[in-house]
Amino acid sequence: MPLPVPVLPEGVDPAWLPPAAFRSVGGRRTLIRGSGPLVETVHGEVADACRRFGGRVVRGAEPGDGAYDLVLDLGVHDLGDEDYTVAREGGTTTVTAFGGRGLLYGLFHLVRLGEAAFSGAWTPKTHRPALTLRMLDHWDNVAVHPVMGQVERGYAGGSLFWEDGRARDELDRVRAYGRLLAACGINALSVNNVNVHATEARLLTDRLDEVAAIAGALRPYGVRTHLSVSFASPVMLGGLPTADPLDEAVRGWWAEATRRVYEAIPDFGGYVVKADSEGQPGPFAYGRSHAEGANLLAAALEPFGGTVHWRAFVYDHRQDWRDRTTDRARAAYDHFVPLDGEFADHAVLQVKHGPMDFQVREPVSPLIGAMPRTRLAVELQVTQEYTGQQRHTCWLGPMWSEVLRFRIQQGSTVGESARGGLVAVSNVGDDPFWTGHPLAQANLYTFGRLAWQPDAEPGAVLDEWIALTFPDAPARLADGLHAVLDGSWRTYEKYTAPLGVGFMVQPGHHYGPSVEGYEYSPWGTYHFADRDGIGVERGVTGGTGFAGQYGTPWAELYESPKTCPDELLLFFHHVPYGHVLKSGKTVVQHIYDTHFEGVEEVEEARAVWASLAGLVDPARHARVTERYEEQLRSAREWRDQVNSYFFRASGVPDERGRRIH
Ligand code: GCU
């Protein structure tokens, strides 16, 4: 039986799957061959398109039995589960796949192509994902947290999954979410926050049925469910005196708990663990290594084919700001590189893309190139914690693309090194636009597509998102959307913390400027600005040695301010305000100029958006307009605080005599 397409609750935006995006797939004579649950999903999709746009679907016949415009054929045996081959010959477009996911992804491929999927003739081409795991981590709490709320670092309302302290009864929206994720290639999702509080810990045991219900809603679109668990579960939930990974009773407890999970969710993906990090429990308490900790869970998951995603975000969050020898940027490498080769096959080490914490500009984490005998997953942040909190337009495609294409080790890019997959913190909530800022949908879509193909051209992905989301857009609208999104990350960088130095945000919630907000805090995030200069000396000579964690050529390049790229200069070096950048400007003049430019660029983008009124539906237009007002207010605040701070610190006037306070 074809599975009906999930119904969007009243008022919820269809994002990149509006009915009109299926116009070209509807109106055809379609043959579907093969069986299995995802084939029913595919059938449901095509049937829905036919209902809207005409055409009909036949199941099971031989391709020669009639004339078909489209054949979706499951059962070719030399392809992987997610691969598909598309071809067009004699007026018939064919998708062949071996696995149900492949067939579904092939169908969405045709949706992206639109009319082009049904014209001309093309030779067969096989598409396969570069990374087998393309995953979202939801930092959702089941119970509203007194400080972090329902969704930690969430800017799109409440949780899609949890409400009033339990899983939602009505999961239509979750089904529709799974569909959106499949359409951009995402195939795994973790349903709760990496900071596992008391209520959420119980999802693993007595509240497992709630997780199973969510897994059931995501499954028809090929999205596997994962769970964040507490390392202390055997103590918290099992009443054991210890959670020591080498203790037999502890191993037995995890084995049994995991067996029950698979009983309830046979295709369960595995666990996500934040251990010995920002107060979460971990193996250090028992004098054990992180490999021993991770392998405990890997052993429990292995019989069922599951994986533990063990996060490498381990650092001292109680640092003394007076101590200049400890460098948070070094921490992940220092903790984990000595363990290379010790992690079990079913353990994946999940590494944030930068060495600090999702800043607008960071170097790539040196850990990514330094553990050849470990399966690594790279973690990005789609939720805009440090990039405008979905009040600012900030499309992160170019940043992620730079990261993924970066040649971290000889011959390998970050995308190629991420053998354990690409993971991102989701930016979605129960907001009618899914992401609070309607244009932030582009970030989620782009993440999925880059996880499928890390060397994809981000601008082309953006245009794909525009074409799907606004299927009938006149050129003026498509160009306008491209214009306001394409450069928005660099604009954001211009009016916030300069030259890779990071932070300068208000402590706690991390929105808006506070130049010294974290300067005397225990979090290890400092810039050391004084009257003479600014930046963190991270060279091997005279610095924290962080630059030495890279291989050739990066270690040498970052070591000297002469060769260090401008955009990372203050991340790697403390320099005088008069230091001349490769651009020919002094550091302080660069700060002034970029901050004035950043605000001007927001003003321009706002004007472009205003000119699109009438081409975008009124609710969406109004929502983005309101966000631009706030972005402009905030950008001006950033500009004035940052410029005034450095003018006062340095005493150096702006060459162009602009107003600084
Ligand atoms: C950031 C973020 C936290 C989050 C942490 C993590 O520090 O501010 O809210 O818990 O990252 O990735 O674990």
Side-chain angles (χ1 to χ4, degrees), residues 381-514:
Q381 196 183 39
V382 183
T383 195
Q384 292 170 238
E385 176 177 359
Y386 293 100
T387 50
Q389 304 201 346
Q390 280 134 262
R391 295 188 231 181
H392 298 218
T393 301
C394 185
W395 175 59
L396 295 164
M399 169 164 99
W400 298 332
S401 174
E402 274 184 24
V403 168
L404 293 167
R405 296 196 219 193
F406 185 80
R407 257 177 215 289
I408 184 77
Q409 50 187 345
Q410 276 185 345
S412 291
T413 61
V414 168
E416 286 155 0
S417 305
R419 290 184 295 121
L422 197 65
V423 181
V425 186
S426 170
N427 63 348
V428 168
D430 68 357
D431 169 74
F433 288 101
W434 301 89
T435 52
H437 194 314
L439 300 181
Q441 291 175 3
N443 279 329
L444 182 59
Y445 183 84
T446 303
F447 163 71
R449 299 291 289 143
L450 289 180
W452 181 281
Q453 191 194 337
D455 63 357
E457 208 45 67
V461 175
L462 177 60
D463 288 337
E464 205 178 273
W465 175 77
I466 292 171
L468 282 173
T469 309
F470 303 87
D472 300 308
R476 192 157 72 81
L477 173 57
D479 293 349
L481 286 159
H482 191 103
V484 300
L485 282 160
D486 198 23
S488 56
W489 164 56
R490 289 205 165 75
T491 297
Y492 186 84
E493 180 182 26
K494 283 184 178 180
Y495 62 78
T496 56
L499 298 165
V501 78
F503 289 88
M504 298 194 175
V505 289
Q506 295 204 23
H509 57 69
H510 298 166
Y511 186 74
S514 176

Side-chain angles (χ1 to χ4, degrees), residues 236-256:
M236 288 170 83
L237 308 168
L240 298 187
T242 176
D244 182 348
L246 300 192
D247 184 284
E248 268 316 307
V250 169
R251 300 180 79 79
W253 188 87
W254 277 109
E256 177 56 16

Side-chain angles (χ1 to χ4, degrees), residues 1-6 22 32 37-51 57 59 104 107 179 221:
M1 282 291 286
L3 185 79
V5 168
F22 289 79
I32 300 177
L38 266 70
V39 179
E40 304 307 332
T41 302
V42 168
H43 188 168
E45 287 287 346
V46 179
D48 188 68
C50 292
R51 188 174 57 76
V57 197
R59 278 294 281 276
L104 183 63
L107 174 68
R179 181 174 184 243
Y221 281 88

Side-chain angles (χ1 to χ4, degrees), residues 168-519:
R168 290 173 184 268
D169 295 325
E170 179 48 72
L171 293 174
D172 265 354
R173 182 111 192 238
V174 174
R175 283 185 198 92
Y177 185 45
R179 181 174 184 243
L180 285 171
L181 298 185
C184 66
I186 292 167
N187 65 2
L189 181 152
S190 160
V191 293
N192 64 308
N193 192 358
V194 289
N195 294 312
V196 184
H197 308 294
T199 305
E200 291 74 14
R202 290 172 50 207
L203 295 174
L204 174 63
T205 51
D206 51 325
R207 297 188 60 170
L208 192 53
D209 56 326
E210 295 173 58
V211 183
I214 295 168
L218 292 171
R219 186 174 296 119
Y221 281 88
V223 179
R224 255 193 201 125
T225 297
H226 297 237
L227 191 63
S228 290
V229 296
S230 169
F231 191 76
S233 296
V235 178
M236 288 170 83
L237 308 168
L240 298 187
T242 176
D244 182 348
L246 300 192
D247 184 284
E248 268 316 307
V250 169
R251 300 180 79 79
W253 188 87
W254 277 109
E256 177 56 16
T258 305
R259 193 188 60 72
R260 285 175 200 266
V261 171
Y262 278 90
E263 225 167 65
I265 311 168
D267 59 350
F268 180 68
Y271 300 134
V272 178
V273 185
K274 172 175 178 177
D276 292 316
S277 167
E278 299 184 335
Q280 292 294 304
F284 285 163
Y286 308 99
R288 309 298 183 197
S289 77
H290 274 237
E292 287 168 322
N295 292 349
L296 162 73
L297 301 186
L301 289 158
E302 187 182 343
F304 310 98
T307 308
V308 58
H309 281 252
W310 191 268
R311 296 179 82 231
F313 186 55
V314 178
Y315 70 99
D316 178 6
H317 71 289
R318 297 208 180 92
Q319 199 186 313
D320 182 351
W321 58 267
R322 298 166 193 83
D323 161 23
R324 286 220 187 184
T325 58
T326 307
D327 179 7
R328 171 167 163 183
R330 293 187 56 120
Y333 183 105
D334 285 344
H335 281 297
F336 288 97
V337 169
L339 303 177
D340 190 28
E342 290 181 24
F343 285 90
D345 288 348
H346 286 252
V348 163
L349 189 63
Q350 188 164 310
V351 187
K352 288 192 182 186
H353 69 83
M356 295 297 281
D357 197 2
F358 301 136
Q359 300 303 290
V360 68
R361 175 75 71 174
E362 289 188 39
V364 166
S365 168
L367 184 58
I368 296 168
M371 297 190 69
R373 291 180 295 153
T374 307
R375 267 167 81 200
L376 295 184
V378 173
E379 186 179 301
L380 309 175
Q381 196 183 39
V382 183
T383 195
Q384 292 170 238
E385 176 177 359
Y386 293 100
T387 50
Q389 304 201 346
Q390 280 134 262
R391 295 188 231 181
H392 298 218
T393 301
C394 185
W395 175 59
L396 295 164
M399 169 164 99
W400 298 332
S401 174
E402 274 184 24
V403 168
L404 293 167
R405 296 196 219 193
F406 185 80
R407 257 177 215 289
I408 184 77
Q409 50 187 345
Q410 276 185 345
S412 291
T413 61
V414 168
E416 286 155 0
S417 305
R419 290 184 295 121
L422 197 65
V423 181
V425 186
S426 170
N427 63 348
V428 168
D430 68 357
D431 169 74
F433 288 101
W434 301 89
T435 52
H437 194 314
L439 300 181
Q441 291 175 3
N443 279 329
L444 182 59
Y445 183 84
T446 303
F447 163 71
R449 299 291 289 143
L450 289 180
W452 181 281
Q453 191 194 337
D455 63 357
E457 208 45 67
V461 175
L462 177 60
D463 288 337
E464 205 178 273
W465 175 77
I466 292 171
L468 282 173
T469 309
F470 303 87
D472 300 308
R476 192 157 72 81
L477 173 57
D479 293 349
L481 286 159
H482 191 103
V484 300
L485 282 160
D486 198 23
S488 56
W489 164 56
R490 289 205 165 75
T491 297
Y492 186 84
E493 180 182 26
K494 283 184 178 180
Y495 62 78
T496 56
L499 298 165
V501 78
F503 289 88
M504 298 194 175
V505 289
Q506 295 204 23
H509 57 69
H510 298 166
Y511 186 74
S514 176
V515 176
E516 296 202 328
Y518 274 103
E519 202 53 20

Side-chain angles (χ1 to χ4, degrees), residues 14-32:
W16 51 86
L17 292 179
F22 289 79
R23 193 176 289 131
S24 62
V25 166
R28 314 276 166 190
R29 292 157 300 175
T30 299
L31 167 64
I32 300 177

Side-chain angles (χ1 to χ4, degrees), residues 585-586 588-596 600 639 643-644 646-648 650-661:
K585 289 183 185 179
T586 61
V588 72
Q589 191 59 42
H590 171 95
I591 292 175
Y592 299 152
D593 287 352
T594 48
H595 284 76
F596 284 112
E600 283 157 20
R639 174 196 64 194
N643 283 350
S644 301
F646 288 104
F647 173 60
R648 292 177 190 180
S650 69
V652 179
D654 172 33
E655 273 172 7
R656 294 170 54 188
R658 288 164 293 194
R659 184 168 167 84
I660 295 179
H661 299 268

